[in-house]
Every structure is written in C-alpha cells, then in structure tokens.
Amino acid sequence: MRDERLSLADFLDGLTADDWNRDSLCDGWTVHDVLAHVALADLLLAATGRLEPRTLSPA
C-alpha cells in the first residue's frame, strides 16, 4: 500500500491549479473535493482504530 500512496503523491504533485479545480467523475465534485474526502476518510478511520495510520513519507 505504501508504494501506491507514494505513486499517488507523485501524481498529485504534478497537478496544476486547473487540474485540482477540474470536475471529477463524481457529479458536483472537483478533483480537490474527491481527494480531500479520501484523505479525511482515511484519517477518521485511523483515529477510530479501524484503519492503521499510514504515511506518504519515505520509510
């Protein structure tokens, strides 16, 4: 999972402001909205002990 997260971080690092504000496949949500939702859900699951905390930083 760590490799996938690092790959996603690399991809997201290359997005422009226009990319972040682009409509996503989720009706009414931008790319930024979707990613914020995914990140927040991950943090909430980790905080409740239902998911082990992860990091994007190299080990």
Side-chain angles (χ1 to χ4, degrees):
M1 185 64 122
R2 181 179 171 277
D3 290 339
E4 289 84 359
R5 288 181 168 279
L6 290 172
S7 178
L8 177 60
D10 287 341
F11 172 76
L12 296 174
D13 192 44
L15 294 181
T16 66
D18 287 339
D19 294 332
W20 281 103
N21 292 314
R22 193 175 315 277
D23 290 338
S24 74
L25 295 178
C26 300
D27 192 35
W29 290 45
T30 64
V31 171
H32 178 270
D33 296 335
V34 171
L35 194 41
H37 174 78
V38 170
L40 181 59
D42 202 37
L43 288 172
L44 290 173
L45 288 172
T48 60
R50 292 189 275 170
L51 181 70
E52 191 169 321
R54 300 180 196 129
T55 180
L56 290 175
S57 61

Coordinates of all heavy atoms in Angstrom, one line a residue:
M1 N 0.8 -1.2 0.0 CA 0.0 0.0 0.0 C 0.9 1.3 0.0 O 0.5 2.3 -0.6 CB -0.9 0.0 1.2 CG -1.9 1.1 1.3 SD -3.1 1.0 -0.1 CE -4.6 1.0 0.7
R2 N 2.0 1.2 0.6 CA 2.9 2.3 0.7 C 3.3 2.8 -0.7 O 3.3 4.0 -1.0 CB 4.1 2.0 1.6 CG 5.1 3.2 1.7 CD 6.3 2.8 2.6 NE 7.3 3.8 2.6 CZ 8.2 3.9 1.6 NH1 8.2 3.0 0.7 NH2 9.1 4.8 1.7
D3 N 3.7 1.8 -1.5 CA 4.1 2.2 -2.9 C 3.0 2.9 -3.7 O 3.2 3.8 -4.4 CB 4.6 0.9 -3.6 CG 5.9 0.4 -3.1 OD1 6.6 1.2 -2.4 OD2 6.2 -0.8 -3.4
E4 N 1.8 2.4 -3.5 CA 0.6 3.0 -4.2 C 0.4 4.4 -3.7 O 0.1 5.3 -4.5 CB -0.7 2.2 -4.0 CG -0.7 0.9 -4.7 CD 0.0 -0.2 -4.0 OE1 0.6 0.0 -2.8 OE2 0.1 -1.4 -4.5
R5 N 0.6 4.6 -2.4 CA 0.4 6.0 -1.8 C 1.5 7.0 -2.4 O 1.2 8.1 -2.7 CB 0.4 6.0 -0.3 CG -0.9 5.4 0.2 CD -0.8 5.4 1.7 NE -2.1 5.1 2.2 CZ -3.1 5.9 2.3 NH1 -3.0 7.2 2.0 NH2 -4.3 5.6 2.8
L6 N 2.7 6.5 -2.4 CA 3.8 7.3 -2.9 C 3.6 7.6 -4.4 O 3.8 8.7 -4.9 CB 5.1 6.6 -2.7 CG 5.6 6.5 -1.3 CD1 6.8 5.7 -1.1 CD2 5.8 7.9 -0.7
S7 N 3.1 6.6 -5.2 CA 2.8 6.9 -6.6 C 1.7 7.9 -6.7 O 1.8 8.8 -7.6 CB 2.4 5.5 -7.2 OG 2.1 5.7 -8.6
L8 N 0.7 7.8 -5.9 CA -0.4 8.8 -5.9 C 0.1 10.2 -5.6 O -0.2 11.2 -6.2 CB -1.5 8.4 -5.0 CG -2.7 9.4 -4.9 CD1 -3.4 9.6 -6.2 CD2 -3.7 8.9 -3.9
A9 N 0.9 10.3 -4.6 CA 1.5 11.5 -4.2 C 2.3 12.2 -5.3 O 2.3 13.4 -5.5 CB 2.4 11.4 -2.9
D10 N 3.1 11.3 -6.0 CA 3.9 11.8 -7.1 C 3.0 12.4 -8.2 O 3.2 13.4 -8.8 CB 4.8 10.7 -7.7 CG 6.0 10.4 -6.8 OD1 6.3 11.2 -5.9 OD2 6.5 9.3 -7.0
F11 N 1.9 11.6 -8.5 CA 0.9 12.1 -9.5 C 0.3 13.4 -9.1 O 0.2 14.3 -9.9 CB -0.1 11.0 -9.7 CG -1.3 11.5 -10.6 CD1 -1.1 11.5 -11.9 CD2 -2.5 11.8 -10.0 CE1 -2.1 12.0 -12.7 CE2 -3.5 12.3 -10.8 CZ -3.4 12.3 -12.2
L12 N -0.2 13.5 -7.9 CA -0.8 14.7 -7.4 C 0.1 15.9 -7.3 O -0.3 17.0 -7.6 CB -1.4 14.4 -6.0 CG -2.5 13.4 -5.9 CD1 -2.9 13.1 -4.5 CD2 -3.7 13.8 -6.8
D13 N 1.4 15.6 -7.1 CA 2.3 16.7 -7.1 C 2.4 17.4 -8.4 O 2.8 18.6 -8.5 CB 3.7 16.2 -6.6 CG 4.7 17.3 -6.3 OD1 4.3 18.2 -5.6 OD2 5.9 17.1 -6.7
G14 N 2.1 16.7 -9.5 CA 2.2 17.3 -10.8 C 1.0 18.0 -11.3 O 0.9 18.5 -12.4
L15 N -0.1 18.0 -10.5 CA -1.3 18.6 -10.9 C -1.2 20.1 -10.8 O -0.6 20.7 -9.9 CB -2.5 18.2 -10.0 CG -2.9 16.7 -10.1 CD1 -4.1 16.5 -9.2 CD2 -3.2 16.3 -11.5
T16 N -1.8 20.8 -11.8 CA -1.8 22.3 -11.8 C -3.1 22.7 -11.0 O -3.9 21.9 -10.7 CB -1.9 22.8 -13.3 OG1 -3.2 22.4 -13.8 CG2 -0.8 22.3 -14.1
A17 N -3.2 24.0 -10.8 CA -4.4 24.6 -10.1 C -5.6 24.2 -11.0 O -6.7 23.9 -10.4 CB -4.2 26.1 -10.0
D18 N -5.5 24.3 -12.3 CA -6.6 24.0 -13.1 C -7.0 22.5 -12.9 O -8.2 22.2 -12.9 CB -6.3 24.3 -14.6 CG -6.3 25.7 -14.9 OD1 -6.9 26.5 -14.2 OD2 -5.7 26.1 -15.9
D19 N -6.0 21.6 -12.8 CA -6.3 20.2 -12.6 C -7.1 20.0 -11.3 O -8.1 19.2 -11.3 CB -5.0 19.4 -12.6 CG -4.3 19.3 -13.9 OD1 -4.9 19.5 -15.0 OD2 -3.1 19.2 -13.9
W20 N -6.6 20.6 -10.3 CA -7.3 20.5 -9.0 C -8.7 20.9 -9.0 O -9.6 20.4 -8.3 CB -6.5 21.2 -7.9 CG -5.3 20.5 -7.4 CD1 -4.0 20.8 -7.8 CD2 -5.2 19.4 -6.5 NE1 -3.1 20.0 -7.1 CE2 -3.9 19.1 -6.4 CE3 -6.2 18.7 -5.8 CZ2 -3.4 18.0 -5.6 CZ3 -5.7 17.6 -5.0 CH2 -4.4 17.3 -4.9
N21 N -9.0 22.0 -9.8 CA -10.4 22.5 -9.8 C -11.2 21.9 -10.9 O -12.4 22.3 -11.0 CB -10.3 24.0 -10.1 CG -9.7 24.7 -8.9 OD1 -10.1 24.5 -7.7 ND2 -8.7 25.6 -9.1
R22 N -10.7 21.0 -11.6 CA -11.4 20.3 -12.7 C -12.5 19.4 -12.1 O -12.4 18.9 -11.0 CB -10.5 19.4 -13.5 CG -11.0 18.9 -14.8 CD -9.9 18.2 -15.6 NE -8.6 18.9 -15.7 CZ -8.3 19.8 -16.5 NH1 -9.2 20.3 -17.4 NH2 -7.1 20.4 -16.5
D23 N -13.7 19.3 -12.8 CA -14.7 18.4 -12.4 C -14.2 17.0 -12.4 O -13.5 16.5 -13.3 CB -15.9 18.5 -13.4 CG -16.7 19.8 -13.3 OD1 -16.5 20.5 -12.2 OD2 -17.4 20.1 -14.2
S24 N -14.6 16.2 -11.4 CA -14.3 14.8 -11.3 C -15.4 14.0 -11.9 O -16.4 14.5 -12.4 CB -14.0 14.4 -9.8 OG -15.3 14.3 -9.2
L25 N -15.3 12.7 -11.8 CA -16.3 11.8 -12.3 C -17.5 11.8 -11.3 O -18.6 11.3 -11.6 CB -15.8 10.4 -12.5 CG -14.8 10.3 -13.6 CD1 -14.3 8.8 -13.7 CD2 -15.3 10.7 -14.9
C26 N -17.3 12.3 -10.1 CA -18.4 12.5 -9.1 C -19.1 13.8 -9.3 O -18.5 14.8 -9.2 CB -17.8 12.4 -7.7 SG -16.9 11.0 -7.3
D27 N -20.4 13.7 -9.7 CA -21.2 14.8 -10.0 C -21.1 15.9 -9.0 O -21.4 15.6 -7.8 CB -22.6 14.4 -10.3 CG -23.5 15.5 -10.9 OD1 -22.9 16.2 -11.8 OD2 -24.7 15.6 -10.6
G28 N -20.7 17.1 -9.4 CA -20.7 18.2 -8.4 C -19.4 18.3 -7.6 O -19.3 19.2 -6.8
W29 N -18.5 17.4 -7.8 CA -17.2 17.4 -7.0 C -16.0 17.6 -7.9 O -15.9 17.1 -9.0 CB -17.0 16.0 -6.4 CG -18.0 15.7 -5.3 CD1 -19.3 15.8 -5.2 CD2 -17.6 15.1 -4.0 NE1 -19.8 15.4 -4.1 CE2 -18.8 14.9 -3.3 CE3 -16.4 14.6 -3.5 CZ2 -18.8 14.3 -2.0 CZ3 -16.4 14.1 -2.2 CH2 -17.6 13.9 -1.5
T30 N -15.1 18.5 -7.4 CA -13.9 18.7 -8.2 C -12.9 17.6 -7.8 O -13.1 16.8 -6.8 CB -13.2 20.0 -7.8 OG1 -12.9 20.0 -6.4 CG2 -14.2 21.2 -8.1
V31 N -11.7 17.6 -8.5 CA -10.7 16.6 -8.1 C -10.2 16.9 -6.7 O -10.0 16.0 -5.9 CB -9.5 16.8 -9.1 CG1 -8.3 16.0 -8.6 CG2 -9.9 16.3 -10.5
H32 N -10.1 18.2 -6.3 CA -9.7 18.5 -4.9 C -10.7 18.0 -3.9 O -10.4 17.4 -2.9 CB -9.6 20.1 -4.8 CG -9.3 20.5 -3.4 ND1 -10.3 20.8 -2.5 CD2 -8.1 20.7 -2.8 CE1 -9.7 21.2 -1.4 NE2 -8.4 21.1 -1.6
D33 N -12.0 18.1 -4.2 CA -13.1 17.6 -3.3 C -12.9 16.1 -3.1 O -13.0 15.7 -1.9 CB -14.5 17.9 -3.9 CG -14.8 19.4 -4.0 OD1 -14.2 20.2 -3.2 OD2 -15.6 19.7 -4.8
V34 N -12.7 15.4 -4.1 CA -12.6 13.9 -4.0 C -11.4 13.5 -3.2 O -11.5 12.7 -2.3 CB -12.6 13.3 -5.4 CG1 -12.3 11.8 -5.3 CG2 -13.9 13.5 -6.2
L35 N -10.3 14.2 -3.5 CA -9.1 13.8 -2.7 C -9.2 14.2 -1.3 O -8.8 13.4 -0.4 CB -7.9 14.5 -3.4 CG -6.5 13.9 -2.9 CD1 -6.5 12.4 -2.8 CD2 -5.5 14.3 -3.9
A36 N -9.8 15.3 -1.0 CA -10.0 15.7 0.4 C -10.9 14.7 1.1 O -10.6 14.4 2.3 CB -10.6 17.1 0.5
H37 N -11.9 14.3 0.4 CA -12.8 13.3 1.0 C -12.1 12.0 1.3 O -12.2 11.4 2.4 CB -14.0 13.0 0.1 CG -14.9 11.9 0.5 ND1 -15.8 12.0 1.4 CD2 -14.9 10.6 0.1 CE1 -16.4 10.9 1.6 NE2 -15.9 10.0 0.8
V38 N -11.3 11.5 0.4 CA -10.5 10.3 0.6 C -9.5 10.4 1.7 O -9.4 9.5 2.6 CB -9.8 9.9 -0.7 CG1 -8.8 8.7 -0.5 CG2 -10.8 9.5 -1.8
A39 N -8.8 11.5 1.8 CA -7.8 11.8 2.8 C -8.5 11.9 4.2 O -8.0 11.3 5.2 CB -7.0 13.0 2.5
L40 N -9.6 12.6 4.3 CA -10.3 12.7 5.5 C -10.9 11.4 6.0 O -10.8 11.0 7.2 CB -11.4 13.7 5.4 CG -12.2 14.0 6.7 CD1 -11.3 14.5 7.8 CD2 -13.3 15.0 6.5
A41 N -11.4 10.6 5.1 CA -12.0 9.3 5.5 C -10.9 8.4 6.1 O -11.1 7.7 7.1 CB -12.6 8.6 4.3
D42 N -9.7 8.4 5.4 CA -8.6 7.7 5.9 C -8.2 8.1 7.3 O -7.9 7.3 8.2 CB -7.4 7.8 4.9 CG -6.4 6.7 5.0 OD1 -6.8 5.5 5.2 OD2 -5.2 7.0 4.9
L43 N -8.1 9.4 7.5 CA -7.7 9.9 8.9 C -8.8 9.5 9.9 O -8.4 9.2 11.1 CB -7.6 11.4 8.8 CG -6.3 12.0 8.1 CD1 -6.4 13.5 8.0 CD2 -5.1 11.5 8.8
L44 N -10.0 9.6 9.6 CA -11.1 9.3 10.5 C -11.1 7.8 10.9 O -11.2 7.4 12.1 CB -12.5 9.7 10.0 CG -12.7 11.2 9.9 CD1 -14.0 11.5 9.2 CD2 -12.7 11.8 11.3
L45 N -10.8 7.0 9.9 CA -10.8 5.5 10.2 C -9.5 5.2 11.1 O -9.6 4.4 12.0 CB -10.7 4.7 8.9 CG -12.0 4.7 8.1 CD1 -11.8 4.1 6.7 CD2 -13.1 3.9 8.8
A46 N -8.4 5.9 10.8 CA -7.2 5.7 11.6 C -7.5 6.2 13.0 O -7.1 5.5 14.0 CB -6.0 6.4 11.0
A47 N -8.2 7.3 13.2 CA -8.4 7.9 14.5 C -9.4 7.0 15.3 O -9.3 6.9 16.6 CB -9.0 9.2 14.4
T48 N -10.2 6.2 14.7 CA -11.2 5.4 15.4 C -10.6 4.0 15.6 O -11.3 3.1 16.1 CB -12.5 5.3 14.7 OG1 -12.3 4.8 13.4 CG2 -13.2 6.6 14.6
G49 N -9.4 3.7 15.1 CA -8.8 2.4 15.2 C -9.2 1.4 14.2 O -8.9 0.2 14.3
R50 N -10.0 1.8 13.2 CA -10.5 0.9 12.2 C -9.5 0.7 11.0 O -9.7 -0.1 10.1 CB -11.9 1.2 11.8 CG -12.9 1.0 12.9 CD -14.3 1.2 12.4 NE -14.6 2.6 12.4 CZ -15.7 3.1 11.9 NH1 -16.5 2.4 11.3 NH2 -15.9 4.4 12.0
L51 N -8.5 1.5 11.0 CA -7.5 1.5 10.0 C -6.2 1.9 10.5 O -6.1 2.9 11.3 CB -7.9 2.5 8.8 CG -7.0 2.6 7.6 CD1 -7.2 1.3 6.8 CD2 -7.4 3.7 6.7
E52 N -5.2 1.2 10.2 CA -3.8 1.5 10.7 C -3.3 2.8 10.0 O -3.4 2.9 8.8 CB -2.9 0.4 10.4 CG -1.6 0.5 11.1 CD -0.7 -0.7 11.1 OE1 -1.3 -1.8 11.1 OE2 0.5 -0.6 10.9
P53 N -2.8 3.8 10.8 CA -2.3 5.0 10.2 C -1.2 4.7 9.2 O -0.4 3.8 9.4 CB -1.8 5.8 11.4 CG -2.5 5.2 12.6 CD -2.7 3.7 12.3
R54 N -1.3 5.5 8.2 CA -0.2 5.4 7.1 C 0.4 6.7 6.9 O -0.1 7.7 7.3 CB -0.9 4.9 5.8 CG -1.6 3.6 6.0 CD -2.2 3.2 4.7 NE -3.1 2.1 4.9 CZ -4.4 2.2 4.4 NH1 -4.8 3.2 3.7 NH2 -5.2 1.2 4.7
T55 N 1.5 6.7 6.2 CA 2.2 7.9 5.9 C 2.7 7.9 4.4 O 2.9 6.9 3.8 CB 3.4 8.1 6.8 OG1 4.0 9.4 6.4 CG2 4.4 7.0 6.7
L56 N 2.7 9.1 3.8 CA 3.3 9.2 2.5 C 4.8 9.5 2.5 O 5.4 9.4 1.5 CB 2.6 10.4 1.8 CG 1.1 10.2 1.4 CD1 0.6 11.5 0.8 CD2 1.0 9.1 0.4
S57 N 5.3 9.7 3.7 CA 6.8 10.0 3.8 C 7.6 8.7 3.6 O 7.1 7.7 4.1 CB 7.1 10.7 5.1 OG 6.8 9.9 6.2
P58 N 8.7 8.8 3.0 CA 9.5 7.6 2.8 C 9.9 7.0 4.2 O 10.1 7.7 5.2 CB 10.8 8.1 2.1 CG 10.4 9.4 1.5 CD 9.3 9.9 2.4
A59 N 10.1 5.7 4.2 CA 10.5 5.0 5.5 C 11.9 5.2 5.8 O 12.7 5.5 5.0 CB 10.2 3.5 5.3

